[in-house]
Amino acid sequence: MEVYMPLIMFGLLIVLLVIGLPIVYALSLVALGTAFVLWGSGSIYAIVTASVSTMNNWNLLATPLFTFMSLMLFEAGIVEDLYEAFYSMTANVRGGLAMCTVAVGALMGAMTGVVAGTVIALTTIALPQTLKYQYDEKISMGAVLSGGALGVGFMSAASSVALSHQDLRAVSAGYDHIRFIKPVFLGETITVKYTVEQKDEAAMKTVAAVEVLNEKGELCTVGKHIAKYFD
């Protein structure tokens, strides 16, 4: 059954989204339900413990601080002036503002290493400006998400595969020290390396280095994945 569980999870997620359930509740229900079916009631305790451990992370302070920074830039008119300059430079290029948004997201991600802070800041800064120049909402949001969080999607997929091949039952406790180093272009082949660096028997957790490389072997995204094990 575990072999087909990813397909079942994906199908359940699609059904919940189609019936109109908000994505945050849909993801939570699918994750909790799957964990309970596979590993019993002990998995719920592990998920709660992992959630508390994730929230006890100083890096999360970057989220409200970057939200405040983006609001200050927006209210001061600096963002509007910046995007007017972007629009002037890319007026003859289709999708020029979207490309600029992705580039800004890559720079912010490389500086912060906090995906939530980058996405929130881009949503506050870039989304109103792209909509102002009559960009489609889906294209605008796609530029924000691709600039802020696409690399983490590859890392998450590799982490899920690595955990599924472990003898012990485990649940992801989140990521730390994420850095976006280089962009990834359409059509490139992506390789993800997952290397366990630390294993804490007392805390029942492991820390693994996750690296995303392009087809030239160049490092694009790096981070640390924390996994929590339970009996």
Side-chain angles (χ1 to χ4, degrees):
M1 182 179 179
E2 293 185 4
V3 177
Y4 300 102
M5 188 55 67
L7 293 176
I8 296 173
M9 293 174 65
F10 183 75
L12 288 174
L13 179 61
I14 295 299
V15 171
L16 292 176
L17 293 178
V18 168
I19 64 177
L21 194 67
I23 189 170
V24 61
Y25 301 121
L27 289 171
S28 300
L29 285 175
V30 171
L32 291 171
T34 304
F36 184 80
V37 170
L38 291 178
W39 303 307
S41 58
S43 61
I44 306 300
Y45 171 77
I47 292 174
V48 173
T49 303
S51 301
V52 174
S53 176
T54 301
M55 293 304 297
N56 188 24
N57 188 341
W58 286 101
N59 289 335
L60 293 178
L61 286 175
T63 301
L65 291 176
F66 265 82
T67 304
F68 176 72
M69 178 203 71
S70 59
L71 288 172
M72 290 290 290
L73 292 174
F74 182 79
E75 295 296 335
I78 297 175
V79 173
E80 187 173 357
D81 294 339
L82 183 63
Y83 266 81
E84 284 183 1
F86 285 159
Y87 185 74
S88 299
M89 291 186 294
T90 61
N92 296 325
V93 181
R94 298 187 65 181
L97 280 184
M99 297 178 189
C100 292
T101 300
V102 173
V104 171
L107 291 174
M108 292 182 65
M111 290 185 296
T112 66
V114 180
V115 176
T118 303
V119 173
I120 292 173
L122 280 178
T123 304
T124 306
I125 293 173
L127 188 60
Q129 295 302 314
T130 52
L131 295 177
K132 173 184 174 181
Y133 290 99
Q134 299 181 350
Y135 270 66
D136 183 77
E137 291 184 0
K138 294 181 179 179
I139 294 177
S140 301
M141 284 304 302
V144 170
L145 293 176
S146 63
L150 186 59
V152 181
F154 295 114
M155 297 169 65
S156 178
S159 301
S160 299
V161 173
L163 292 180
S164 66
H165 286 82
Q166 300 295 321
D167 295 332
L168 298 174
R169 293 177 293 179
V171 64
S172 175
Y175 294 87
D176 198 5
H177 302 298
I178 297 176
R179 294 291 182 272
F180 299 93
I181 301 170
K182 295 191 67 175
V184 176
F185 299 98
L186 291 175
E188 283 192 324
T189 301
I190 300 300
T191 303
V192 183
K193 290 185 178 181
Y194 189 93
T195 307
V196 177
E197 294 183 334
Q198 302 176 20
K199 185 175 182 180
D200 191 335
E201 298 285 354
M204 298 186 67
K205 70 176 184 180
T206 59
V207 178
V210 188
E211 299 176 341
V212 179
L213 301 96
N214 60 19
E215 57 189 20
K216 297 179 182 179
E218 299 170 333
L219 203 58
C220 299
T221 308
V222 296
K224 302 290 185 181
H225 179 242
I226 304 171
K228 187 77 173 180
Y229 293 84
F230 54 94
D231 296 329

